[in-house]
Amino acid sequence: MRRVEAIVVGVGGMGSAAVYHLAKRGIDVLGLERFDIPNAEGSSHGVNRIIRLAYWEDPSYVPLLRRAYELWRVLEHETGDRLLHITGSIDAWPPDSQTLRGALRSCAEHHLPHELLTARALKEKFPGYRLPDEMQAVYQPDGGFVLSEQAICSRVAAAQTLGASVHAREAVQGFQPDGDNYVVQTERAAYRASRLVLTAGPWLGKLLPELRDLAEPERQVLLWAQPKRPE
């Protein structure tokens, strides 16, 4: 049975970050992924994901996001891969929506550069957008996108350079506590570690039955559109 200091189950957007940062701390880490790296079965597949500072869920996210921006630049410097693209971003909702109020609250509490635009003002500033008259938009110049699948690959490659082991196409069947350690059983082998990180996304409820009713996967529909007139 192979012994490591830490095992990360699921090497997607979250798991690749865990493997990379554990390896940076000098920890002997093993990442286990049931599919390919990357793959189309998790929440980070596709070309990109939006990133912006003004999270509507709660202003307490903003310091975490500022740190995330810093860490993306560090990873880019280490790997030579460009991952974070700052383009400005637009979030649009009806004026009475919780999401609009939450985004403006984050902007106000953390003094984030932004513009609140009516549908008409948005069309004048960015002619490609034609929203219903009753909608409003928050423009954030610091917003943009991260190349999500490339980011997974970059983190995994950087972690491997630092000595991490990452196994693709090796599904975890379960784990058991063993004193101060954990024994993780896959379809190929058993591994022992003193630290276990579970970033298995929609499979988390299968690994932790007590979370089955809480960790319920939901489908998030994304759309990438190509303008007929890019200019």
Side-chain angles (χ1 to χ4, degrees), residues 65-121:
L65 286 156
R66 282 178 166 153
R67 178 61 174 153
Y69 274 59
E70 295 174 0
L71 292 174
W72 284 123
R73 294 308 188 198
V74 170
L75 181 61
E76 287 179 328
H77 177 73
E78 292 178 352
T79 62
D81 299 328
R82 189 183 178 196
L83 303 170
L84 171 60
H85 295 251
I86 302 300
T87 60
S89 64
I90 296 168
D91 293 305
W93 308 277
D96 59 347
S97 66
Q98 179 183 358
T99 46
L100 179 66
R101 294 195 302 268
L104 292 174
R105 181 185 169 196
S106 288
C107 290
E109 290 193 16
H110 292 276
H111 309 289
L112 302 177
H114 72 285
E115 292 182 60
L116 178 61
L117 303 171
T118 64
R120 176 178 294 181

Side-chain angles (χ1 to χ4, degrees), residues 9-170:
V9 179
V11 189
M14 299 296 289
S16 62
V19 171
Y20 165 64
H21 284 285
L22 286 169
K24 285 194 74 173
R25 296 178 185 182
I27 293 172
D28 182 18
V29 56
L30 168 64
L32 298 170
E33 168 59 49
R34 66 184 296 134
F35 300 113
D36 289 324
I37 300 174
N39 62 73
E41 303 298 328
S43 59
S44 299
H45 71 277
V47 175
N48 55 16
R49 288 293 184 277
I50 293 171
I51 187 170
R52 71 275 206 207
L53 293 175
Y55 262 38
W56 68 265
E57 289 89 340
D58 196 282
S60 61
Y61 280 91
V62 177
L64 300 176
L65 286 156
R66 282 178 166 153
R67 178 61 174 153
Y69 274 59
E70 295 174 0
L71 292 174
W72 284 123
R73 294 308 188 198
V74 170
L75 181 61
E76 287 179 328
H77 177 73
E78 292 178 352
T79 62
D81 299 328
R82 189 183 178 196
L83 303 170
L84 171 60
H85 295 251
I86 302 300
T87 60
S89 64
I90 296 168
D91 293 305
W93 308 277
D96 59 347
S97 66
Q98 179 183 358
T99 46
L100 179 66
R101 294 195 302 268
L104 292 174
R105 181 185 169 196
S106 288
C107 290
E109 290 193 16
H110 292 276
H111 309 289
L112 302 177
H114 72 285
E115 292 182 60
L116 178 61
L117 303 171
T118 64
R120 176 178 294 181
L122 179 67
K123 181 180 177 182
E124 291 175 354
K125 190 175 183 70
F126 302 106
Y129 288 88
R130 299 179 184 180
L131 301 181
D133 291 340
E134 67 274 11
M135 294 189 72
Q136 293 182 344
V138 176
Y139 168 66
Q140 302 173 52
D142 293 326
F145 61 88
V146 173
L147 296 178
S148 48
E149 288 190 354
Q150 179 60 51
I152 293 172
C153 295
S154 297
R155 282 171 170 161
V156 169
Q160 290 174 322
T161 299
L162 294 167
S165 298
V166 180
H167 296 180
R169 300 186 183 184
E170 184 170 353

Side-chain angles (χ1 to χ4, degrees), residues 4-9 29-30 32 184 191-193 195-197:
V4 294
E5 292 181 77
I7 295 174
V8 177
V9 179
V29 56
L30 168 64
L32 298 170
V184 176
Y191 306 94
R192 185 188 303 274
R195 306 180 191 185
L196 178 61
V197 180

